[in-house]
């Protein structure tokens, strides 16, 4: 079984985003490489993955795969919430000066 077949079986969409070429490069050079997060969608899944390829020793290639879909969703929601909060304080700037913290930490208006 070829590298392409084994990689495609283990990593859905491997041929589509260049991991095969990266594995070959790391195998030849021994220099670790990283692939920035990219989206993969097919009939089974829709994920955003972050990957790194290492050669810990001769003849061994390690591919570290991290599904960062949930993290990206949370960051997107947080950015939207921050924008909404900024809009709130633009509309009602006096509410910021009236806000106080309690000893337990939560903000009270």
């Amino acid at each position: 079984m070829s590298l392409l077949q084994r990689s495609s079986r283990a990593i859905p969409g491997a041929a589509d985003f260049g991991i095969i070429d990266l594995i070959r490069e790391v195998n030849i050079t021994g220099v670790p490489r990283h692939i920035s997060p990219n989206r993969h969608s097919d009939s089974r899944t829709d994920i955003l993955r972050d990957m790194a390829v290492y050669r810990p020793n001769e003849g061994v290639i390690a591919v570290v795969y991290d599904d960062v879909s949930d993290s990206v969703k949370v960051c997107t929601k947080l950015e939207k919430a921050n924008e909404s909060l900024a809009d709130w304080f633009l509309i009602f700037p006096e509410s910021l000066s009236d806000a106080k913290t309690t000893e337990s930490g939560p903000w009270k208006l």
Side-chain angles (χ1 to χ4, degrees):
M1 190 179 290
S2 74
L3 176 63
L4 176 61
Q5 290 170 326
R6 288 182 295 203
S7 299
S8 295
R9 191 182 233 179
I11 306 166
D16 299 335
F17 65 92
I19 190 70
I20 305 303
D21 295 333
L22 206 61
I23 290 171
R24 285 185 183 126
E25 181 184 330
V26 170
N27 190 41
I28 292 168
T29 66
V31 177
R33 294 293 309 272
H34 176 256
I35 294 179
S36 296
N38 61 61
R39 183 164 303 284
H40 171 74
S41 297
D42 63 20
S43 61
R44 299 174 294 163
T45 187
D46 179 31
I47 60 173
L48 188 63
R49 58 184 163 204
D50 187 35
M51 300 183 80
V53 181
Y54 304 91
R55 188 178 81 186
N57 53 41
E58 195 67 35
V60 176
I61 297 291
V63 178
V64 179
Y65 172 103
D66 189 16
D67 179 353
V68 295
S69 303
D70 290 340
S71 298
V72 170
K73 286 177 191 173
V74 168
C75 286
T76 302
K77 286 181 181 180
L78 183 58
E79 286 172 5
K80 288 180 182 177
N82 280 336
E83 289 170 8
S84 295
L85 185 60
D87 290 345
W88 174 265
F89 286 119
L90 284 174
I91 296 168
F92 304 105
E94 67 281 352
S95 60
L96 181 60
S97 63
D98 294 340
K100 295 182 174 51
T101 59
T102 63
E103 285 185 27
S104 61
W107 285 81
K108 299 276 184 182
L109 294 177

